[in-house]
């Protein structure tokens, strides 16, 4: 049996996540795009063979590019997994502050990165299924 959390708690966690994501975006912008790799077509943290699938939004309404970093995954699946991960955070189903704990979505294990990792790599979250990996990457500041 699953314990239901009050929506007020979920909103408080979402507010904390939104503040953290906004701070990360501001710090990334202030850092002036970082290394040359961060301003290339493939955002930081993405391998040279990453497949860019499109853009969606995090639970804090921050736009992220969805990429397939490893393995064979359709873009439709990658986008659907990331959207379902966002829905799980918004519903309060993900334990941890702002949904920081791992959660299972469509058989994948998804988890958000800590602010220091987001600032260093631009990676907001990842979802893993075996050797397959989907990344949600913040767009480079313009």
């Amino acid at each position: 049996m699953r314990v239901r959390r009050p929506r007020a708690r979920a909103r408080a966690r979402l507010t904390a996540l939104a503040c953290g994501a906004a701070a990360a975006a501001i710090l990334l912008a202030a850092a002036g795009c970082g290394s040359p790799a961060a301003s290339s077509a493939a955002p930081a943290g993405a391998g040279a063979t990453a497949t860019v699938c499109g853009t969606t939004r995090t639970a804090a309404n921050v736009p992220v590019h969805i990429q397939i970093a490893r393995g064979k995954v359709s873009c439709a699946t990658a986008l659907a997994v990331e959207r379902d991960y966002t829905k799980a955070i918004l519903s309060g189903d993900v334990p941890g502050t702002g949904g920081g704990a791992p959660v299972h979505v469509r058989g994948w294990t998804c988890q958000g990165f800590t602010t220091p990792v987001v600032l260093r790599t631009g990676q907001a979250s990842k979802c893993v299924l075996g050797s397959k990996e989907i990344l949600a990457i913040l767009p480079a500041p313009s």
Side-chain angles (χ1 to χ4, degrees):
M1 194 162 144
R2 191 175 81 149
V3 176
R4 298 288 295 172
R5 293 187 181 91
R7 289 214 180 261
R9 266 196 198 160
R11 285 189 191 99
R13 287 192 309 268
L14 181 57
T15 300
L17 179 64
C19 290
I26 289 168
L27 288 173
L28 282 173
C33 298
S35 69
S39 61
S40 67
T49 61
T51 300
V52 179
C53 290
T55 302
T56 188
R57 293 190 172 268
T58 67
N61 203 29
V62 175
V64 286
H65 298 299
I66 304 305
Q67 296 183 355
I68 300 166
R70 287 191 318 234
K72 289 196 176 243
V73 180
S74 73
C75 282
T77 297
L79 289 165
V81 167
E82 286 292 339
R83 287 184 188 123
D84 286 354
Y85 176 52
T86 297
K87 288 177 189 173
I89 293 171
L90 287 172
S91 72
D93 290 341
V94 181
T97 304
V103 63
H104 296 286
V105 176
R106 295 179 176 232
W108 294 75
T109 301
C110 298
Q111 184 167 12
F113 290 106
T114 62
T115 300
V117 173
V118 174
L119 292 174
R120 189 175 66 250
T121 66
Q123 297 176 359
S125 66
K126 74 175 178 178
C127 295
V128 178
L129 177 64
S131 63
K132 302 171 189 174
E133 183 177 71
I134 302 167
L135 294 173
I137 311 242
L138 293 172
S142 51

